[in-house]
Amino acid sequence: MRGPGKLEVWKMGFVNYLDALKLQEKLVSDRKLCRIPDTLLSLQHPPIYTLGKRRTDHNLLLPVSELKNIGAELHYTQRGGDITFHGPHQAILYPIISLREIGIGARNYVEKLESTMIELSSLYGVKACAGQKGETGVWIGERKIGAIGVRVSYGITSHGLAYNIDPDLKYFKHIVPCGITDKEVTSLRRETATVLPAEEVIQEQLISCFARLFGYSTVTWKENPSIFSDHESID
């Protein structure tokens, strides 16, 4: 085992969910074979609901046939966690990293993801905390600001976290977010008294919090990498 060294960050902008899913599968395979360093995908998705491997369809509160009317889609995944929403103005990080090389287990990994969002919130004077027992993600009182859903395969992670900068919160009214009833969803815009900078700045701050908490000594950046030319299996 050795500590974390290099982290390669891919700044990707808006990416279709299925394309991101296929890219993660390819990168996980490459990471298992040590073909790539630990890699962090930073992106946003068009409006989409995703369900984890428990398939809790009952937490989607409107018929699938009506999703098109609100401009959203539904996809099933192999991550942990319950139903969640991804959309514009939400910062998403998908770490493809080796927990074995870092020397941490899955629970500690999730705790560090929570700490990443908690630290970012604190930069804007917002006091967030990890959820109580059975409540995943990051909360401000009874309001959820960040979701976590991860998969670990042979020590390599995929999927990750979603932090609400300023998404359209109406989308969350159509689900029981993460399967937790009687709780609200919130955003950084709603919670802070600070004037927010450009979303790209906030996304970079989130990445910096992640890199620091996971102890990476070197961070390199890829701007708008071409996932289709470099990873032909996505086609």
Side-chain angles (χ1 to χ4, degrees):
M1 182 196 79
R2 65 177 185 273
K6 177 183 176 182
L7 177 69
E8 187 170 277
V9 178
W10 292 24
K11 295 173 65 178
M12 303 185 69
F14 272 90
V15 181
N16 175 278
Y17 186 80
L18 289 181
D19 286 339
L21 197 60
K22 292 175 184 177
L23 176 61
Q24 289 180 78
E25 291 170 355
K26 176 65 167 68
L27 294 177
V28 166
S29 177
D30 286 347
R31 188 66 189 91
K32 287 176 182 176
L33 296 172
C34 299
R35 290 175 176 166
I36 61 171
D38 283 353
T39 301
L40 182 65
L41 308 183
S42 173
L43 48 84
Q44 295 190 39
H45 289 309
I48 186 169
Y49 297 103
T50 68
L51 278 159
K53 56 189 175 183
R54 286 187 287 162
R55 299 292 189 266
T56 49
D57 297 68
H58 58 276
N59 286 327
L60 177 65
L61 303 179
L62 79 170
V64 174
S65 59
E66 293 184 19
L67 290 177
K68 188 175 181 180
N69 296 334
I70 63 171
E73 297 179 358
L74 173 69
H75 286 294
Y76 295 88
T77 77
Q78 291 301 309
R79 63 164 172 78
D82 210 297
I83 193 168
T84 194
F85 169 77
H86 295 312
H89 312 298
Q90 185 184 66
I92 295 172
L93 297 184
Y94 291 147
I96 314 297
I97 67 176
S98 171
L99 297 186
R100 292 173 182 172
E101 289 192 7
I102 296 175
I104 63 174
R107 177 174 292 183
N108 194 357
Y109 171 63
V110 169
E111 290 171 351
K112 284 180 179 291
L113 292 181
E114 291 172 337
S115 296
T116 296
M117 294 187 281
I118 291 169
E119 184 172 293
L120 175 68
S121 301
S122 72
L123 298 179
Y124 294 93
V126 175
K127 184 174 177 55
C129 63
Q132 303 300 313
K133 187 175 181 180
E135 297 178 348
T136 60
V138 169
W139 299 74
I140 301 164
E142 298 289 295
R143 303 175 302 283
K144 190 169 190 174
I145 194 170
I148 293 174
V150 303
R151 186 182 187 197
V152 181
S153 175
Y154 297 98
I156 307 299
T157 66
S158 58
H159 298 278
L161 65 81
Y163 183 85
N164 295 335
I165 299 174
D166 188 25
D168 184 347
L169 298 179
K170 289 184 293 188
Y171 281 102
F172 290 95
K173 296 185 182 299
H174 302 300
I175 61 174
V176 180
C178 299
I180 301 170
T181 58
D182 303 321
K183 298 291 177 73
E184 294 182 26
V185 176
T186 191
S187 66
L188 183 61
R189 170 81 65 186
R190 178 171 288 190
E191 297 293 337
T192 185
T194 304
V195 176
L196 295 181
E199 286 187 6
E200 183 177 0
V201 173
I202 300 173
Q203 289 173 315
E204 290 180 356
Q205 291 172 328
L206 185 65
I207 292 166
S208 296
C209 292
F210 175 93
R212 188 188 70 78
L213 286 164
F214 280 86
Y216 288 99
S217 57
T218 304
V219 179
T220 60
W221 300 75
K222 266 190 169 183
E223 299 278 350
N224 300 313
S226 176
I227 62 176
F228 297 104
S229 62
D230 294 343
H231 297 272
E232 296 174 1
S233 66
I234 294 172
D235 293 338

